[in-house]
Amino acid sequence: MVKNSSSLKPLAEASSQAYLSNMLQVADLLRWILDQTGPAHVQITSFSISEEFLRRIFFIEKEGLIRSLDIVLDFKATNKTLILWPFIEQTVENCYLASNHSKILLVYNDRWSVAVVMSQNLTRGNRFESGFISTDRAVFDSLHQQVDYVITRQSVPFHEVFARTIGQN
């Protein structure tokens, strides 16, 4: 069970569920999902990211629970992202920038396909945030296809932006 959230049922018991909480962080939710799915591939979209979230991801990866990690962030958050780049580079396999305000978490392996649509960025906050969790394969496939489209057709790999920014200085 996710700490501080008694309203979520195990994934095997509920193919769809929603939450509204000021205690649940995205990293908590990701960890809760990975504890049930085992090691998996992860794709996340968000407007922005924080050092605290990256630190949590670092330790989850260190445990071997993340097989691959793709993150899509927004162009408008580039300045903040540049500051975090050394940590992002060590933690995130592929980081992309796009005109993005979505907050989606996809976790998948040979056995599981979990899709989460949420309101929270990859930051720490104590505000009420909402989310919808689904293990429905059609929901997952639809979101996965759309995230892949953003990655392959609508985004720029962040390492390219970083290299150009460093080259200008």
Side-chain angles (χ1 to χ4, degrees):
M1 187 61 51
V2 177
K3 69 177 185 175
N4 301 319
S5 182
S6 60
S7 62
L8 292 180
K9 296 177 183 173
L11 294 171
E13 293 179 18
S15 63
S16 297
Q17 54 188 314
Y19 65 89
L20 176 65
S21 173
N22 64 347
M23 303 295 286
L24 186 60
Q25 304 297 315
V26 176
D28 298 328
L29 188 61
L30 175 59
R31 179 58 198 245
W32 175 77
I33 292 169
L34 290 169
D35 282 346
Q36 295 171 77
T37 64
H41 303 282
V42 178
Q43 289 183 310
I44 309 172
T45 70
S46 180
F47 178 78
S48 66
I49 195 165
S50 71
E51 181 271 334
E52 180 177 349
F53 178 81
L54 288 166
R55 190 172 53 243
R56 296 278 308 275
I57 289 296
F58 176 83
F59 288 111
I60 293 170
E61 283 181 325
K62 197 171 184 177
E63 292 180 52
L65 291 173
I66 296 177
R67 290 184 178 158
S68 66
L69 176 59
D70 297 334
I71 293 182
V72 178
L73 301 170
D74 191 86
F75 282 118
K76 290 183 180 181
T78 303
N79 287 338
K80 179 180 178 184
T81 308
L82 281 170
I83 294 168
L84 293 173
W85 178 246
F87 200 7
I88 291 171
E89 188 175 37
Q90 293 178 12
T91 309
V92 178
E93 188 169 342
N94 297 300
C95 185
Y96 304 93
L97 295 176
S99 292
N100 178 63
H101 201 261
S102 67
K103 288 95 177 166
I104 297 170
L105 170 61
L106 302 173
V107 178
Y108 57 99
N109 58 24
D110 293 339
R111 188 166 168 244
W112 289 94
S113 298
V114 183
V116 183
V117 177
M118 55 203 166
S119 64
Q120 185 178 17
N121 287 305
L122 305 180
T123 57
R124 173 89 179 151
N126 295 319
R127 296 179 175 157
F128 281 94
E129 300 283 355
S130 59
F132 175 77
I133 305 165
S134 177
T135 57
D136 181 290
R137 186 62 192 224
V139 171
F140 175 87
D141 286 346
S142 176
L143 287 169
H144 189 246
Q145 180 181 12
Q146 293 172 67
V147 169
D148 279 347
Y149 176 81
V150 170
I151 288 172
T152 59
R153 304 266 167 90
Q154 300 293 316
S155 70
V156 174
F158 188 71
H159 68 275
E160 290 180 19
V161 173
F162 183 74
R164 288 182 190 150
T165 300
I166 296 302
Q168 291 175 356
N169 292 337

